[in-house]
Amino acid sequence: QVQLVESGGGLVQAGGSLRLSCAASGRTFSSWALGWFRQVPGKEREFVAAISWSGGNTRYADFVKGRSTISRDTTKNTVYLQIFSLKPEDTGVYYCSARGATMLSASRWEYDYWGQGTEVTVSS
């Protein structure tokens, strides 16, 4: 079965950066897309970024565009999300997700597998 395990969350000062990791296992992801979503207090789970496993195509939400990079290491079956210039409003739980299609959907309803989440806290 597909398993996604996030890591890298923690406490960081506003203006800083961090890199989240998602270890994927259970199958070959050559025709899959992997994404990052976040859940902040008082809001629904929202799209952050996505990447196609084989081609490396990327898509970003507007609120992280220009200060975020999603990447993957196919030899390690790992997806990364690096966020720069962190803001207090970035605080929340970040989830890794996967879907068995190459299209980079921004809808949480299109993703079938989810990790347990990793907490990010940005202090001011």
Side-chain angles (χ1 to χ4, degrees), residues 58-103:
T58 60
R59 180 179 180 179
Y60 299 92
D62 288 341
F63 59 82
V64 295
K65 195 172 299 181
R67 63 183 184 99
S68 181
T69 300
I70 186 171
S71 60
R72 86 274 193 243
D73 186 338
T74 57
T75 65
K76 297 181 178 180
N77 271 20
T78 301
V79 178
Y80 305 97
L81 177 68
Q82 190 165 13
I83 308 177
F84 313 91
S85 301
L86 284 161
K87 310 171 183 179
E89 51 262 45
D90 291 323
T91 295
V93 180
Y94 285 71
Y95 297 89
C96 182
S97 60
R99 65 191 300 258
T102 58
M103 181 171 288

Side-chain angles (χ1 to χ4, degrees), residues 42-63:
K43 298 184 65 177
E44 296 181 337
R45 190 171 299 186
E46 60 186 346
F47 173 78
V48 179
I51 187 169
S52 59
W53 190 258
S54 296
N57 300 313
T58 60
R59 180 179 180 179
Y60 299 92
D62 288 341
F63 59 82

